[in-house]
Amino acid sequence: MALALSVTPTSSSSSSCVLSRNPSPNFKTTLLNFASPRRIHAINPLHRSFQCLQSPSQHLNTSPFTTSAVTSSSSSSQTTELVLQRLVQEFKSLTEPIDRLRWVLRYASLLPPMPDSSRTESNRVMGCTARVWLDAELGQDGKMRFWADSDSDVSKGMCSCLIQLLDSATPEEVMELKTEDLVELNVGLLGGERSRVNTWHNVLVSMQKKTRRLVAEKEGKAPTFEPFPSLLLTSDGIEPKGSFAEAQAKYLFPEEARVQQLVKVLKEKKIGVSAHFYMDPEVQGVLTAAQKHWPHIYISDSLIMADAAVKMAKAGCQYITVLGVDFMSENVRAILDQAGFGEVGVYRMSDETIGCSLADAASAPAYLNYLEAASLSPPSLHVVYINTSLETKAFAHELVPTITCTSSNVVQTILQAFAEMPKLNVWYGPDSYMGANIVKLFEQMTLMTDEEIANIHPKHNLDSIKSLLPRLHYFQEGTCIVHHLFGHEVVERIKYMYCDAFLTAHLEVPGEMFSLAMEAKKRDMGVVGSTQNILDFIKKKVQEAVDRDVDDHLQFILGTESGMVTSIVAVIRSLLGSSANSKVKVEVVFPVSSDSMSKTSSPKGPSSINVGDAVLPIVPGVAGGEGCSIHGGCASCPYMKMNSLNSLLKVCQNLPDVENVIGGFKAERFKRQTPQGKLIADVGCEPILHMRHFQANKELPKELLDHVLSREGKR
């Protein structure tokens, strides 16, 4: 039976609503008398357009607005709270999902038609399953006015409820509302509840970002932020925005002669290529095109690189070229040896050290002191990020039983270790940002139910998570120089300009960026994890948009090294090309930090900057002041960029290296010994093999468990 909802204006600033329903055997008669100073927007529609704002989950303890633009009063604030309470009460009084659905649909009928002039792409609410448009205006009285529309009646009803709540509210009230305040307002549709909850949250985010922009404009304090560089992809092609993006796009379509030159030598000499996602775009563009002609080219995160090399060796490759930093070629060499392919040559892309700030941090005396402290607190397990040298892994393993991890498996590795050894102490390192983020993630798990925790790891509950937190330690002096750039300045710009976009973040980013991405993740608008996790998330969202077959504009903030873009673009182009006449637009945005500002070199030579413990040259940029250069800026790793296409061709053309022309490029086996007289190559490989066992069997190897527990007995 349908609900009856009537709206009767009682004054210029209020209305009364009576929600009634005829009794039925399964429904308790409900009569809600609801006199709100908020007007359903049919009474006072205003029509304007605007732009962007901040994350809704940030509760403002102090107002960012001045009294010149905002009229605030305690009675107004109380009114907003009362309206929210009444909305929640209405939802709670309707216990059956079908009744809530009918209630929301009735609200949808109260929403006035939106003018065609407001149904623009700039007014689209991102992240909703249906198409939703939202417009707003800041009135002369300092109050906000909103109106909305959707091609879904359910989404339209949700918009109507939010307008009932926030229309005629002060900007402060709009900004102070948090997504958590809307948790009770879910329609409860089977199979679709998550997406409907996201609609509440995403519309609120859009309301808030429009409010922030309008207030700033009225006060004459609108930030002068320039858009980040981006690549806009459609089924028709690619449009770069900003010269950094133009430089990236140029290499997405390499010259066929360059591709064939590489393919020819790879085939002739049976050379495999194992490359990291963070490669220079020129190299990745050629490699991606060459994959169509030579299957033994693999671009992945560090977890897969060594496995890919083994597969290439099994397929008959006599050499493996590794495009990455030195610890990656070390891992490939060690795993090939363990797999019985010691005769397969492994080559780096430089005769100089291809370093890594995290690997360097783990080689410093401070890390040795950290491990010595761990050895004095048995039972202890050292979980070391794979972005470390084989020597570090070997020395660490002799001090404290060690297992390697990557950003994609670190959380499960730690949870599994505590599940199998509840009294364990876990010592993670060397990435301090990732360590802090893992701790924060586990702290957030203490706010979950046992069922929610079990969905993350089946052997944990609230008590076990609370118990492990005091025994989880992380090194606090190691950072990735690239992810370090995603700090406060970048976060503030994202909040203001891109807060409704899909947000991706690597686990290595600073805590503020991590928190922003985690908030977006709650709305199904973000992902936090490894490079592969980021790629999978983007692929999923684009596929969903293509399947809906409506015009859509998806915007993804790339919260990791910009080299990821080549693989991302390849996936997106494939998805857009799979659908004839696809109407979907996908924009990949590259955040820029002023720490990576490109500058012109002085006559005396290039200047430099300090990033953590590293001193890096500033390379002249492709566009002065844009904020990044194609080499070493805009979240671009200068070490990874040492892997050039010319280096790859040089190595390949000189194989087999009879005259030792490229001897310095060879990834040698470690001949040196550990303090206990064992080969570094053997001991350093054990933590990697422990990780591979865990990946394959979802439990820690017995050898590692015995190693940990035997140390406890020696205390």
Side-chain angles (χ1 to χ4, degrees):
M1 184 126 355
L3 296 171
L5 180 62
S6 61
V7 181
T8 306
T10 57
S11 71
S12 61
S13 62
S14 65
S15 64
S16 63
C17 295
V18 177
L19 175 65
S20 62
R21 187 187 193 289
N22 293 333
S24 71
N26 298 319
F27 183 74
K28 180 181 179 181
T29 302
T30 304
L31 180 63
L32 295 178
N33 210 358
F34 153 15
S36 167
R38 300 281 181 264
R39 288 168 290 181
I40 294 294
H41 210 80
I43 301 170
N44 187 20
L46 297 168
H47 311 299
R48 292 287 184 275
S49 129
F50 40 78
Q51 227 57 348
C52 192
L53 147 226
Q54 81 172 24
S55 167
S57 63
Q58 180 180 2
H59 185 77
L60 303 179
N61 295 320
T62 59
S63 170
F65 311 117
T66 66
T67 54
S68 63
V70 178
T71 303
S72 178
S73 68
S74 59
S75 61
S76 176
S77 178
Q78 292 172 1
T79 300
T80 301
E81 185 176 346
L82 288 173
V83 174
L84 177 61
Q85 290 175 358
R86 287 165 181 157
L87 282 172
V88 170
Q89 289 171 2
E90 290 176 38
F91 267 72
K92 284 186 173 181
S93 70
L94 305 172
T95 57
E96 296 297 323
I98 188 62
D99 292 319
R100 290 188 175 194
L101 175 60
R102 288 170 176 161
W103 189 90
V104 169
L105 292 177
R106 178 56 62 181
Y107 253 101
S109 68
L110 299 174
L111 200 64
M114 192 178 204
D116 291 339
S117 60
S118 291
R119 293 168 64 94
T120 62
E121 186 174 287
S122 64
N123 285 339
R124 283 283 297 277
V125 176
M126 291 191 184
C128 298
T129 301
R131 289 187 294 176
V132 180
W133 295 267
L134 177 75
D135 209 344
E137 184 169 277
L138 177 59
Q140 293 299 318
D141 58 355
K143 303 293 181 67
M144 293 301 302
R145 306 290 188 272
F146 296 101
W147 64 101
D149 199 4
S150 175
D151 57 8
S152 159
D153 286 339
V154 175
S155 296
K156 188 182 295 186
M158 293 177 175
C159 291
S160 183
C161 290
L162 284 171
I163 289 175
Q164 173 76 11
L165 176 62
L166 292 176
D167 187 64
S168 295
T170 67
E172 285 179 315
E173 292 174 306
V174 175
M175 297 301 298
E176 288 173 356
L177 189 65
K178 298 178 290 185
T179 57
E180 290 84 352
D181 297 330
L182 306 177
V183 70
E184 297 289 347
L185 304 181
N186 67 82
V187 181
L189 296 178
L190 294 177
E193 181 173 326
R194 176 68 182 273
S195 65
R196 297 304 180 186
V197 172
N198 293 340
T199 299
W200 290 115
H201 294 180
N202 294 334
V203 173
L204 175 60
V205 168
S206 292
M207 293 174 110
Q208 290 178 323
K209 84 177 194 180
K210 290 180 180 295
T211 299
R212 164 70 69 83
R213 175 62 60 89
L214 290 169
V215 168
E217 289 177 354
K218 185 167 185 177
E219 293 184 340
K221 297 179 180 179
T224 56
F225 288 142
E226 292 293 327
F228 287 139
S230 66
L231 289 175
L232 182 65
L233 291 85
T234 66
S235 57
D236 296 327
I238 299 176
E239 176 189 346
K241 299 181 178 181
S243 52
F244 176 80
E246 291 172 2
Q248 295 277 346
K250 179 175 68 175
Y251 295 119
L252 295 173
F253 306 98
E255 296 178 7
E256 185 61 23
R258 297 284 274 173
V259 175
Q260 290 304 323
Q261 181 186 14
L262 178 62
V263 170
K264 184 175 183 292
V265 70
L266 294 178
K267 286 183 175 181
E268 286 179 354
K269 301 183 179 182
K270 297 182 179 179
I271 302 172
V273 180
S274 184
H276 194 272
F277 279 131
Y278 292 168
M279 284 304 96
D280 184 270
E282 179 183 17
V283 179
Q284 285 209 53
V286 172
L287 290 178
T288 302
Q291 284 175 319
K292 301 172 184 177
H293 309 286
W294 180 241
H296 306 305
I297 298 173
Y298 206 88
I299 306 172
S300 69
D301 62 15
S302 55
L303 175 63
I304 308 299
M305 290 176 69
D307 292 338
V310 172
K311 292 179 181 178
M312 294 173 196
K314 289 180 178 179
C317 289
Q318 297 178 7
Y319 307 97
I320 304 295
T321 51
V322 179
L323 281 73
V325 296
D326 283 345
F327 74 78
M328 296 176 183
S329 57
E330 290 176 4
N331 289 344
V332 168
R333 175 72 276 165
I335 295 300
L336 282 173
D337 289 344
Q338 290 288 331
F341 293 102
E343 78 284 357
V344 174
V346 177
Y347 286 84
R348 307 179 306 121
M349 293 298 106
S350 176
D351 56 1
E352 299 178 2
T353 299
I354 307 177
C356 168
S357 59
L358 285 177
D360 293 344
S363 299
Y367 201 72
L368 181 62
N369 295 336
Y370 172 70
L371 293 178
E372 286 177 344
S375 69
L376 299 176
S377 303
S380 283
L381 176 68
H382 175 218
V383 179
V384 65
Y385 198 22
I386 199 168
N387 294 23
T388 50
S389 70
L390 204 63
E391 186 175 44
T392 293
K393 295 179 178 75
F395 288 179
H397 196 36
E398 288 196 338
L399 269 175
V400 186
T402 299
I403 183 172
T404 59
C405 70
T406 70
S407 50
S408 61
N409 64 24
V410 58
V411 171
Q412 289 300 318
T413 299
I414 292 174
L415 288 175
Q416 183 64 27
F418 277 117
E420 296 192 43
M421 297 175 284
K423 296 181 180 180
L424 186 67
N425 289 290
V426 169
W427 304 75
Y428 168 80
D431 191 316
S432 57
Y433 287 141
M434 187 184 292
N437 292 339
I438 293 168
V439 170
K440 187 179 296 183
L441 179 63
F442 288 163
E443 288 174 345
Q444 291 179 358
M445 289 176 66
T446 64
L447 304 177
M448 298 180 180
T449 65
D450 284 346
E451 182 180 0
E452 290 171 331
I453 293 171
N455 287 333
I456 298 173
H457 194 288
K459 294 185 179 180
H460 279 284
N461 55 35
L462 181 59
D463 290 338
S464 69
I465 297 299
K466 288 181 177 179
S467 174
L468 68 82
L469 274 168
R471 289 175 285 110
L472 174 58
H473 315 274
Y474 66 92
F475 185 62
Q476 300 188 26
E477 299 179 43
T479 58
C480 167
I481 60 174
V482 172
H483 293 104
H484 174 76
L485 298 176
F486 292 92
H488 177 75
E489 178 192 345
V490 167
V491 168
E492 287 304 305
R493 199 158 159 190
I494 290 173
K495 286 180 180 180
Y496 190 85
M497 297 187 71
Y498 301 98
C499 56
D500 63 341
F502 292 102
L503 181 57
T504 73
H506 197 278
L507 262 176
E508 294 177 23
V509 299
E512 195 172 2
M513 180 75 168
F514 171 82
S515 297
L516 193 66
M518 286 297 292
E519 189 280 325
K521 187 174 185 291
K522 292 178 184 177
R523 299 184 285 117
D524 199 30
M525 289 289 290
V527 63
V528 178
S530 68
T531 47
Q532 188 62 51
N533 296 147
I534 290 172
L535 186 62
D536 291 342
F537 174 80
I538 293 175
K539 181 178 180 179
K540 175 176 178 286
K541 291 301 177 184
V542 175
Q543 183 66 68
E544 290 173 353
V546 169
D547 291 343
R548 287 195 293 269
D549 193 29
V550 296
D551 62 302
D552 212 344
H553 183 171
L554 311 183
Q555 202 172 48
F556 294 94
I557 306 299
L558 185 57
T560 189
E561 219 274 357
S562 59
M564 271 291 293
V565 72
T566 307
S567 297
I568 291 171
V569 167
V571 166
I572 294 173
R573 290 184 66 207
S574 174
L575 293 174
L576 297 183
S578 66
S579 176
N581 302 316
S582 175
K583 304 170 186 175
V584 178
K585 299 178 182 177
V586 183
E587 188 173 7
V588 181
V589 180
F590 307 96
V592 178
S593 166
S594 62
D595 288 341
S596 61
M597 287 292 290
S598 55
K599 299 178 182 179
T600 303
S601 300
S602 67
K604 298 179 181 179
S607 55
S608 62
I609 57 172
N610 294 320
V611 183
D613 295 329
V615 180
L616 302 177
I618 298 178
V619 182
V622 291
E626 184 183 50
C628 48
S629 71
I630 196 66
H631 299 288
C634 204
S636 180
C637 177
Y639 300 118
M640 286 289 191
K641 292 346 178 211
M642 293 172 68
N643 296 268
S644 67
L645 182 59
N646 287 337
S647 293
L648 177 58
L649 288 169
K650 177 180 178 179
V651 169
C652 293
Q653 289 165 353
N654 280 283
L655 290 175
D657 189 22
V658 178
E659 298 181 3
N660 199 34
V661 175
I662 53 172
F665 291 71
K666 192 171 185 179
E668 297 284 0
R669 295 178 177 83
F670 272 92
K671 303 282 179 65
R672 291 185 293 112
Q673 295 182 337
T674 67
Q676 295 183 11
K678 299 178 181 179
L679 286 176
I680 285 176
D682 293 337
V683 180
C685 201
E686 286 183 16
I688 302 173
L689 296 176
H690 290 334
M691 178 184 72
R692 289 162 63 88
H693 177 96
F694 171 62
Q695 288 294 104
N697 301 284
K698 306 306 178 187
E699 61 181 18
L700 301 186
K702 184 177 185 300
E703 177 187 357
L704 179 60
L705 296 176
D706 291 343
H707 191 185
V708 172
L709 297 176
S710 68
R711 292 296 183 99
E712 181 182 20
K714 295 178 181 178
R715 179 167 47 178

